[in-house]
Amino acid sequence: MKQRIITGLIGGAAFLFFIYQGGAWYSLLVLLLAVIGHFEFMRMAGIQPFNVAGILGYVLMASLLWPSLAFSEWLPISMPDLMLPVLLLLLIYSVLRKNQFHIEHVALTLVGALYIGFGFTYMAAVRNLPDGLMLTVLVIVAIWSTDSGAYFVGKAIGKRKLWPEISPNKTVEGALGGLVAAVLIVIVINACFGSIAFDKALTIALVAGIIGQMGDLVESAFKRHFQVKDSGQLIPGHGGVLDRFDSFLLVFPVLHLLGIV
């Protein structure tokens, strides 16, 4: 726990610094996280990250993410135009590999690229909005508050298991504690430092408090299926990028779909 807290404080401060800087600094960080996250997913799925299929997966993921980055104009081509060729090449590659790379591998490559690509796309895009700094901070604070509230409330009074088949340590009491913590902390921070409309800030807190925990369960389901404890070991006490950013990958896209960001 001590290592987890120290690493969390240092990593959180560094992350907030990049958010504050915005522009190319933040875009480079998001791109790096996406690349590492995609590597972790492919490794969990048993797909070689740097063979033909792995590289095609990176291209597909980047084709989703690239237009939302601050330096997207560096490439003269339209990255989304690569998506259909990547799909076709993956299907052809499955034939050429004579079932050593089969249709399940094709599906996993696509799911990993879409899951990570869309998640980090909206995480990057929100920061580029006129009020993107405060919106990004509120979403991230809401997610962190949910995680902390769920953990400490669950440890203190958690009895009823939330979803033991997927994540045996999570409790109903912890989930409710995380949601309440997100709402309270986001409302207070926005009232003191922000200028986001109350209903918008409340929606951010509710989505983070509910969908953020679902994102955690999605990642837990992946790991249980692939029979791994953590997606990686990059962050001491926290695991890999996907372990730390699993909530982000669902919260930002859902907020986009709701028209909040």
Side-chain angles (χ1 to χ4, degrees):
M1 175 55 67
K2 182 179 179 181
Q3 182 188 53
R4 183 180 178 89
I5 292 174
I6 293 173
T7 304
L9 290 174
I10 295 173
F15 190 49
L16 290 173
F17 169 79
F18 280 97
I19 294 171
Y20 177 76
Q21 291 296 316
W25 285 93
Y26 183 61
S27 291
L28 282 170
L29 176 63
V30 172
L31 178 60
L32 178 62
L33 291 173
V35 168
I36 296 173
H38 194 250
F39 172 85
E40 292 175 353
F41 184 90
M42 288 191 293
R43 187 175 58 181
M44 286 195 300
I47 300 171
Q48 292 296 322
F50 302 115
N51 66 5
V52 172
I55 292 172
L56 287 173
Y58 275 113
V59 171
L60 178 57
M61 184 273 291
S63 72
L64 293 170
L65 174 61
W66 193 267
S68 67
L69 302 179
F71 42 77
S72 58
E73 68 277 2
W74 291 359
L75 285 184
I77 62 174
S78 174
M79 292 297 284
D81 289 344
L82 294 175
M83 294 174 64
L84 179 57
V86 166
L87 172 60
L88 297 177
L89 287 172
L90 283 171
L91 294 173
I92 293 171
Y93 184 67
S94 70
V95 173
L96 297 177
R97 291 290 292 165
K98 300 178 181 178
N99 282 333
Q100 294 182 47
F101 180 85
H102 46 72
I103 189 63
E104 287 85 357
H105 292 135
V106 174
L108 285 169
T109 302
L110 294 174
V111 167
L114 295 174
Y115 166 60
I116 295 163
F118 277 123
F120 283 111
T121 287
Y122 294 112
M123 183 175 159
V126 170
R127 182 62 183 87
N128 296 328
L129 297 173
D131 52 355
L133 175 59
M134 193 62 204
L135 282 172
T136 302
V137 169
L138 280 184
V139 175
I140 290 171
V141 166
I143 292 172
W144 287 349
S145 300
T146 300
D147 289 345
S148 299
Y151 178 81
F152 289 110
V153 172
K155 281 288 187 181
I157 62 173
K159 293 181 179 180
R160 289 172 291 181
K161 297 298 183 180
L162 178 65
W163 213 304
E165 296 85 359
I166 298 297
S167 186
N169 294 326
K170 288 181 171 54
T171 63
V172 173
E173 294 83 0
L176 293 174
L179 177 59
V180 171
V183 170
L184 292 177
I185 292 175
V186 165
I187 295 304
V188 170
I189 288 180
N190 187 55
C192 294
F193 305 106
S195 57
I196 307 300
F198 176 82
D199 59 338
K200 196 171 186 178
L202 179 60
T203 303
I204 288 173
L206 291 173
V207 169
I210 298 171
I211 303 301
Q213 297 190 67
M214 183 58 67
D216 195 313
L217 289 170
V218 167
E219 180 64 17
S220 294
F222 284 152
K223 291 187 291 186
R224 186 165 290 271
H225 175 73
F226 295 131
Q227 298 182 342
V228 298
K229 182 179 184 296
D230 295 313
S231 67
Q233 301 297 327
L234 180 67
I235 309 171
H238 294 268
V241 166
L242 295 183
D243 295 309
R244 185 64 272 173
F245 289 88
D246 47 12
S247 297
F248 293 61
L249 297 180
L250 259 65
V251 169
F252 278 99
V254 169
L255 287 172
H256 170 76
L257 291 174
L258 293 175
I260 303 300
V261 298

